[in-house]
């Protein structure tokens, strides 16, 4: 986790969940995450069975030059990343993993900026399928951020974390298989070839444009 807001929110989420796989929505006290609040968001499952923003911090809305409340989270991603993101969301809501994702946002003027986002399961009415807690923060803040809206975003890397030390390999493999950008597979059940790589000084495997960092257990 490269950004303070990401680490702050993860540590708070982990502390309030206790022995549960996810904390309850009503357990969250905004005053406890004051330093990360501007980059924090909550997603909810909408009528189209997609996730949209229920709440979004002020700095996050500024980065996109628009109010994000009520807007689709799923629609932010490039169409080629849709399957990977849907698989990732299932890993969070169904398997109770924490997803750490880096992505590159592009504006209409083709300027680019990299972001780090974290997605964590959140319990609502006894279920973890309809709410997610997260944070999204630019890794660097160019002068134009907040003036030129982000119109397209592509996943560049991910890490899946199971705080209770559950095996991760199958879910990582499923996400990687769904990243089909610039790669053709002979069948839907065939996983893409993993290429060894080093990302931010950590051993990783690269599938097409996606880097999966090893050591995802916490």
């Amino acid at each position: 986790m490269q950004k303070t807001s990401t680490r702050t929110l993860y540590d708070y989420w982990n502390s309030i969940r206790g022995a549960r796989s996810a904390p309850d929505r009503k357990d969250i006290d905004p005053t406890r995450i004051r330093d990360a609040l501007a980059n924090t968001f909550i997603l909810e499952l909408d009528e189209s069975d997609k996730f949209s923003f229920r709440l979004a911090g002020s700095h996050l809305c500024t980065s996109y030059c628009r109010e994000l409340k009520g807007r689709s989270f799923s629609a932010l991603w490039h169409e080629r990343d849709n399957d990977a993101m849907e698989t990732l969301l299932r890993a969070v809501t169904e398997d109770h993993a924490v997803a750490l994702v880096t992505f590159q946002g592009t504006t209409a003027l083709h300027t680019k900026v990299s972001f780090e986002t974290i997605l964590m399961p959140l319990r609502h009415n006894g279920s973890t399928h309809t709410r997610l807690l997260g944070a999204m923060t630019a890794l660097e803040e160019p002068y134009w951020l907040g003036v030129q809206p982000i119109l397209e975003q592509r996943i560049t890397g991910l890490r899946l974390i199971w705080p209770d030390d559950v095996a991760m390999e199958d879910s990582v493999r499923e996400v990687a298989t769904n990243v089909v950008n610039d790669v053709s597979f002979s069948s839907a059940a065939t996983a893409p070839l993993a290429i060894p790589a080093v990302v931010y000084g950590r051993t990783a495997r690269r599938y097409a444009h996606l880097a999966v960092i090893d050591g995802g257990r916490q």
Side-chain angles (χ1 to χ4, degrees):
M1 300 180 191
Q2 301 177 65
K3 303 303 292 185
T4 301
S5 56
T6 307
R7 170 58 68 180
T8 296
L9 192 63
Y10 174 78
D11 287 345
Y12 177 66
W13 172 88
N14 207 25
S15 68
I16 63 174
R17 73 182 180 91
R20 299 169 295 176
S21 61
D24 198 278
R25 167 67 180 88
K26 66 177 182 293
D27 295 335
I28 297 176
D29 179 1
T31 63
R32 297 275 305 279
I33 50 173
R34 187 178 292 108
D35 292 342
L37 206 56
N39 296 95
T40 297
F41 58 84
I42 291 178
L43 303 180
E44 65 176 348
L45 199 65
D46 59 28
E47 295 178 353
S48 64
D49 206 30
K50 300 290 185 180
F51 279 97
S52 59
F53 289 94
R54 182 173 179 85
L55 296 170
S58 57
H59 194 67
L60 180 55
C61 293
T62 298
S63 296
Y64 282 83
C65 300
R66 57 188 181 273
E67 174 60 57
L68 291 177
K69 182 178 180 180
R71 292 181 179 268
S72 172
F73 174 81
S74 301
L76 292 177
W77 305 93
H78 190 283
E79 60 182 6
R80 292 184 176 180
D81 284 342
N82 282 342
D83 286 346
M85 183 52 62
E86 289 301 314
T87 303
L88 197 63
L89 290 171
R90 288 198 304 273
V92 177
T93 58
E94 298 177 10
D95 300 332
H96 305 144
V98 172
L100 186 64
V101 181
T102 54
F103 67 88
Q104 187 175 74
T106 305
T107 71
L109 298 179
H110 303 292
T111 48
K112 301 178 186 297
V113 61
S114 293
F115 286 82
E116 176 179 78
T117 188
I118 190 168
L119 299 168
M120 296 167 286
L122 195 60
R123 201 171 300 278
H124 178 70
N125 293 333
S127 170
T128 60
H129 288 75
T130 63
R131 294 289 190 277
L132 286 171
L133 176 66
M136 190 182 295
T137 312
L139 296 181
E140 295 181 355
E141 296 196 16
Y143 70 91
W144 51 262
L145 190 63
V147 177
Q148 300 176 29
I150 304 298
L151 299 181
E152 178 184 283
Q153 52 197 53
R154 301 293 306 275
I155 298 172
T156 55
L158 68 86
R159 181 184 179 191
L160 292 177
I161 303 167
W162 275 264
D164 293 322
D165 203 31
V166 177
M168 63 176 285
E169 184 61 33
D170 288 345
S171 291
V172 170
R173 186 177 180 85
E174 184 181 2
V175 173
T177 301
N178 281 322
V179 181
V180 297
N181 306 293
D182 307 318
V183 176
S184 296
F185 305 121
S186 57
S187 71
T190 302
L193 179 64
I195 301 174
V198 176
V199 179
Y200 300 120
R202 297 181 64 88
T203 302
R205 289 158 290 152
R206 191 169 291 280
Y207 301 83
H209 76 292
L210 173 67
V212 180
I213 299 176
D214 293 324
R217 299 181 183 184
Q218 190 77 348

